[in-house]
Amino acid sequence: MAQIIDGKAIAQSIHSEIAKDVSDLITNHAQVPGLAVVIVGERKDSQVYVRMKRKACAEVGIKSIDIDLPGDASEKMVLETVLNLNANPQVHGILVQLPLPSHINEERILTAISMEKDVDGFHPLNIGKLAMKGREPMFVPCTPKGCIELLQRSGISVSGKRAVVVGRSNIVGLPVALLLIKLDATVSIVHTRTPDPKNIIREADIIIAAAGQANMIKADWIKPGAAVIDVGTNAVDDPSRKSGYRLVGDVAFEEAKSVAGWISPVPGGVGPMTIAMLLRNTVDSAKRACVEMWC
Amino acid sequence: MAQIIDGKAIAQSIHSEIAKDVSDLITNHAQVPGLAVVIVGERKDSQVYVRMKRKACAEVGIKSIDIDLPGDASEKMVLETVLNLNANPQVHGILVQLPLPSHINEERILTAISMEKDVDGFHPLNIGKLAMKGREPMFVPCTPKGCIELLQRSGISVSGKRAVVVGRSNIVGLPVALLLIKLDATVSIVHTRTPDPKNIIREADIIIAAAGQANMIKADWIKPGAAVIDVGTNAVDDPSRKSGYRLVGDVAFEEAKSVAGWISPVPGGVGPMTIAMLLRNTVDSAKRACVEMWC
């Protein structure tokens, strides 16, 4: 039976570490880390995520700068908001909740975020540095960083292992593959155009599932003893619930856990880590600003 | 028996296409594409490469701006050279021959090259855009681009194929892996820390060998019928030659050619393509400058 990787517990201990760092910054440097969380419009799911992020900030002592713009806000207005936040020394991280309404060019908004405050780590310059040997990005994207933390804090070594990343998205699959390469894993990237994903996935010591396909990875796709990190968050119908749905991962958890050596559940695996890494990036940014300002 | 991929012939036909583009630019837009090739010091191998690049420019009608700095040139002097070239409208591409003397910070010099003239494509912002879905880099690095051209001009489809890249360098392995992912191949990256490279390489329909290990890949490492692109250029002793050495690839060519479906030789495979792609990038840059200036 697999060891269950408890993302909630690991995230909680990271929160404690962060709270201590925040307290040190305030006590020794009079520096309060600030995260601006910008939401445009009233998408229900986005509002839930934003609320979670703001709540997490409060819990560790990060100042959350809340900016809620109406769904019909112009691109210019959003852009000016970002530029103001870039210039605000109390803001160490800027998060613009995606997706933006369709009349706004996402790339233009994200590229406007100052490199020093891009706590999401999605700027192409950050991704380039993440990819390149000998270069270090200013920020590592939160979900990929969370996956690696789950492995490392579970005592799973990465160097020399075969890893398979399922999915090649800009926000998870691709950057997590780049991180694993830097950590000396032998990495294969499997995606929708791979004819035989099962055969490749079955060879991996480490599986990062970020395909967005409910229960795609079955028990017999997994090498016995492999470590499985499930990034998928898929809603499936469940009439037994009040909401009418429940969340499942990309891995068929119940059958997979009897084959894998380690497995992260959904929910309660990667999800809490994404927020923990956002807080980590914000505090690291505040520390850097502190060093630069001799505070 | 494998079909030999004749890089020299393919590069030659690309040179003809480029010469036609150059002639069009001059006739219709009075625009002469210009490539600045900067060399610092007197390394023999660097001088050979630089001479080849300048000669290739002349052959297709690109103006080569030759800058030869002494080996004891200061970092400031090299930096100022780059900044002057950035500002010079007759220069559409800037190539600084590597390695630079050890007293000069390479990263600082390369980062100073204007994005619009970075024909080598090594700027982290370019690499980031190369990596990301939905983004296009200003320039694709020359050797990786040359590998893909060899495949495509030999009629080898990439989409849906299993590809293995041997090596993860910033200038070849990593960017060629990113290109193959964008072209819908299922990509594995094998490197010095991979315990069993043979078993992974043997599963590939396409092998890009960029390890820098003479004759590392043997016949029985290759899936029958696979396409093999050999980027390696390794000097091995050869007393029968006047020079005392000869160049060999990462693939044991003589035995491999009886197993592979296609194979590129060394020399005469990827080498000529790297220069062809440098010329291509320079002309594309001149075309872009032309569009921007309404010329």
Side-chain angles (χ1 to χ4, degrees):
Chain A
M1 278 300 273
Q3 193 176 316
I4 308 300
I5 298 176
D6 185 346
K8 217 167 150 183
I10 294 175
Q12 205 49 57
S13 62
I14 294 173
H15 282 208
S16 305
E17 295 162 20
I18 293 172
K20 194 186 162 304
D21 279 5
V22 171
S23 153
D24 282 355
L25 273 168
I26 295 173
T27 311
N28 302 328
H29 305 280
Q31 173 90 311
V32 183
L35 175 67
V37 181
V38 179
I39 180 170
V40 184
E42 315 211 321
R43 272 180 70 118
K44 277 272 154 51
D45 54 348
S46 292
Q47 287 183 321
V48 171
Y49 292 134
V50 163
R51 202 152 46 226
M52 282 164 68
K53 289 166 188 174
R54 289 170 177 171
K55 186 160 156 274
C57 282
E59 280 166 9
V60 297
I62 293 174
K63 186 178 177 206
S64 166
I65 295 100
D66 303 345
I67 298 184
D68 297 72
L69 297 174
D72 61 356
S74 67
E75 185 175 298
K76 187 158 171 278
M77 193 187 294
V78 180
L79 204 56
E80 274 168 12
T81 302
V82 167
L83 298 180
N84 283 335
L85 294 168
N86 282 347
N88 183 341
Q90 295 192 309
V91 172
H92 303 102
I94 301 171
L95 184 137
V96 177
Q97 184 66 41
L98 301 181
L100 290 169
S102 57
H103 67 280
I104 296 177
N105 182 326
E106 269 182 16
E107 185 176 339
R108 206 169 295 152
I109 300 299
L110 294 183
T111 311
I113 297 174
S114 151
M115 282 298 302
E116 283 72 30
K117 302 187 180 185
D118 175 35
V119 282
D120 255 342
F122 292 155
H123 194 289
L125 187 55
N126 252 322
I127 299 291
K129 290 185 173 178
L130 188 66
M132 293 169 82
K133 213 185 294 188
R135 306 286 181 101
E136 289 304 323
M138 192 78 80
F139 300 101
V140 175
C142 302
T143 303
K145 187 173 179 172
C147 294
I148 303 294
E149 283 279 340
L150 283 183
L151 293 171
Q152 292 179 333
R153 292 190 184 234
S154 304
I156 300 159
S157 68
V158 173
S159 174
K161 298 288 177 64
R162 292 228 17 208
V164 165
V165 176
V166 188
R168 52 175 166 171
S169 71
N170 286 343
I171 56 174
V172 187
L174 177 88
V176 85
L178 297 174
L179 279 172
L180 288 165
I181 293 170
K182 269 202 173 167
L183 291 170
D184 290 333
T186 298
V187 179
S188 301
I189 300 109
V190 160
H191 46 73
T192 46
R193 304 295 295 275
T194 300
D196 53 349
K198 175 180 165 180
N199 289 334
I200 302 172
I201 293 170
R202 241 198 89 85
E203 293 183 356
D205 307 303
I206 295 168
I207 299 169
I208 311 282
Q213 297 288 327
N215 300 320
M216 167 186 162
I217 296 171
K218 314 291 182 196
D220 66 343
W221 294 35
I222 298 168
K223 178 174 164 179
V228 181
I229 304 293
D230 192 349
V231 187
T233 313
N234 312 289
V236 295
D237 290 339
D238 184 348
S240 77
R241 304 238 175 157
K242 206 173 69 183
S243 61
Y245 73 93
R246 66 193 159 89
L247 295 180
V248 301
D250 291 349
V251 180
F253 183 80
E254 285 306 323
E255 56 176 279
K257 76 178 182 205
S258 60
V259 180
W262 295 263
I263 188 166
S264 73
V266 176
V270 174
M273 292 299 289
T274 298
I275 292 188
M277 293 301 111
L278 174 66
L279 304 179
R280 176 83 271 160
N281 280 350
T282 302
V283 173
D284 287 349
S285 177
K287 282 186 193 172
R288 262 197 301 258
C290 216
V291 170
E292 274 159 25
M293 295 163 62
W294 304 78
C295 69
Chain B
M1 278 300 270
Q3 193 176 315
I4 308 299
I5 299 177
D6 185 346
K8 218 167 151 183
I10 294 174
Q12 206 47 58
S13 63
I14 294 173
H15 282 207
S16 305
E17 296 163 19
I18 293 171
K20 197 188 161 301
D21 279 7
V22 171
S23 153
D24 283 356
L25 273 168
I26 294 173
T27 312
N28 302 329
H29 305 279
Q31 173 90 313
V32 183
L35 175 66
V37 181
V38 180
I39 179 169
V40 185
E42 315 210 321
R43 272 180 71 118
K44 277 272 156 49
D45 54 347
S46 293
Q47 287 182 322
V48 171
Y49 293 135
V50 162
R51 204 152 46 227
M52 284 165 68
K53 288 167 187 174
R54 290 170 177 170
K55 186 162 158 272
C57 281
E59 280 167 10
V60 298
I62 292 174
K63 185 176 177 210
S64 165
I65 294 100
D66 303 345
I67 297 182
D68 299 71
L69 298 175
D72 60 356
S74 67
E75 186 176 297
K76 185 158 172 275
M77 193 188 293
V78 180
L79 203 56
E80 274 168 12
T81 303
V82 167
L83 298 180
N84 283 333
L85 294 168
N86 282 348
N88 183 341
Q90 295 191 311
V91 172
H92 303 102
I94 301 171
L95 183 137
V96 177
Q97 184 66 42
L98 301 182
L100 290 169
S102 58
H103 67 280
I104 296 176
N105 182 326
E106 269 184 16
E107 185 177 339
R108 207 169 294 150
I109 301 298
L110 294 182
T111 311
I113 298 174
S114 149
M115 281 300 301
E116 284 71 29
K117 303 188 179 184
D118 174 34
V119 282
D120 255 342
F122 292 155
H123 194 290
L125 187 55
N126 251 322
I127 299 292
K129 289 184 174 179
L130 187 67
M132 293 170 82
K133 212 183 293 187
R135 304 287 180 100
E136 288 305 323
M138 190 78 77
F139 300 101
V140 175
C142 302
T143 303
K145 187 173 177 172
C147 294
I148 303 295
E149 283 280 338
L150 283 182
L151 293 171
Q152 292 179 332
R153 291 188 185 234
S154 304
I156 300 158
S157 68
V158 173
S159 174
K161 298 289 178 61
R162 290 224 24 203
V164 165
V165 176
V166 187
R168 53 176 166 170
S169 71
N170 287 343
I171 59 175
V172 187
L174 178 90
V176 86
L178 297 174
L179 279 171
L180 288 165
I181 294 171
K182 268 202 173 165
L183 291 169
D184 290 334
T186 299
V187 178
S188 301
I189 299 110
V190 160
H191 47 75
T192 45
R193 304 295 294 273
T194 301
D196 53 349
K198 175 181 167 179
N199 289 334
I200 302 173
I201 294 170
R202 241 198 90 84
E203 293 183 356
D205 307 303
I206 296 168
I207 299 169
I208 312 282
Q213 296 289 328
N215 300 320
M216 168 188 163
I217 296 171
K218 314 291 182 196
D220 66 344
W221 294 36
I222 298 169
K223 178 174 165 179
V228 181
I229 303 294
D230 192 350
V231 187
T233 314
N234 313 290
V236 295
D237 289 339
D238 184 348
S240 76
R241 304 234 176 161
K242 207 174 66 184
S243 61
Y245 73 93
R246 65 193 159 89
L247 295 180
V248 301
D250 292 349
V251 180
F253 182 79
E254 285 307 322
E255 55 175 280
K257 75 178 183 206
S258 60
V259 181
W262 294 263
I263 188 166
S264 73
V266 176
V270 174
M273 293 300 289
T274 298
I275 292 189
M277 294 301 110
L278 175 66
L279 304 178
R280 177 82 272 162
N281 280 350
T282 303
V283 173
D284 288 350
S285 178
K287 283 186 190 171
R288 261 197 301 257
C290 215
V291 169
E292 275 159 25
M293 294 164 62
W294 303 78
C295 71

